[in-house]
Amino acid sequence: VPGIDYSTSGTNIIFVTPPTAGQKVYVVALSTTADLTRTINFVVDAGSNPMSTGVKGDMTLDVTGKIVAWTIISDQAGQIQFDIKKTDYANFPNFSSICGTERPTLGNINAGTTERINRDTNLSTWNTALTAGDILQFEIVYSLNIQRCVVSMKLAL
């Protein structure tokens, strides 16, 4: 019985009366883990019109974390590229790109390919650190045949 027959200290089990040689002891370890991630979603909807380029909006953050992946999902196959920029409250409206050379993209404008979904989990050239109070800005660099899409960024807290 816990607290009567034994107690724990760190990774040790301390028996009131230790088992003798040859006795069997069965231990069940219970563990819980928390999902320490959050997802930032930014939706762009041009209605029934093709998506235009330019800044589509800003978003404030209420969590601190590290971006570990981005995903884009669109309403139809096409091409789109986002630049995501960041500033802190004191420096608004002076934004700087966090994407490095790996901007969130669907399709390949040079190869003429199209996609409806894409993800990147290797953000080697990104500035991935985000702080509660930062402001993100989402800009479309180019778009072809996209009317609605969502850009999601997964944050490790």
Side-chain angles (χ1 to χ4, degrees):
V1 176
I4 295 174
D5 297 316
Y6 70 90
S7 62
T8 60
S9 176
T11 58
N12 296 314
I13 299 173
I14 304 160
F15 290 97
V16 172
T17 304
T20 59
Q23 285 184 308
K24 292 183 180 179
V25 175
Y26 297 93
V27 178
V28 177
L30 302 176
S31 174
T32 59
T33 58
D35 179 7
L36 297 178
T37 62
R38 294 294 180 269
T39 302
I40 296 170
N41 295 302
F42 188 81
V43 177
V44 183
D45 190 337
S48 59
N49 299 313
M51 194 76 62
S52 62
T53 60
V55 174
K56 298 302 172 188
D58 301 336
M59 170 188 296
T60 58
L61 300 176
D62 62 357
V63 296
T64 295
K66 177 183 176 183
I67 304 168
V68 295
W70 61 256
T71 303
I72 300 179
I73 303 170
S74 73
D75 61 329
Q76 56 197 349
Q79 299 173 353
I80 196 164
Q81 184 179 83
F82 280 86
D83 191 7
I84 303 170
K85 300 175 183 180
K86 175 180 85 167
T87 190
D88 59 19
Y89 186 86
N91 290 306
F92 181 84
N94 301 312
F95 289 90
S96 298
S97 179
I98 62 172
C99 298
T101 59
E102 304 165 273
R103 291 178 174 164
T105 304
L106 286 179
N108 184 313
I109 195 167
N110 296 321
T113 59
T114 61
E115 294 177 295
R116 286 196 65 193
I117 191 168
N118 194 16
R119 172 181 296 150
D120 189 359
T121 58
N122 180 21
L123 309 177
S124 62
T125 66
W126 276 53
N127 174 2
T128 58
L130 297 177
T131 303
D134 282 347
I135 303 166
L136 297 179
Q137 184 177 78
F138 295 80
E139 178 182 0
I140 295 178
V141 178
Y142 64 80
S143 177
L144 177 67
N145 295 332
I146 304 287
Q147 295 172 335
R148 184 178 59 255
C149 69
V150 61
V151 179
S152 300
M153 291 185 293
K154 185 176 182 178
L155 298 182
L157 304 182

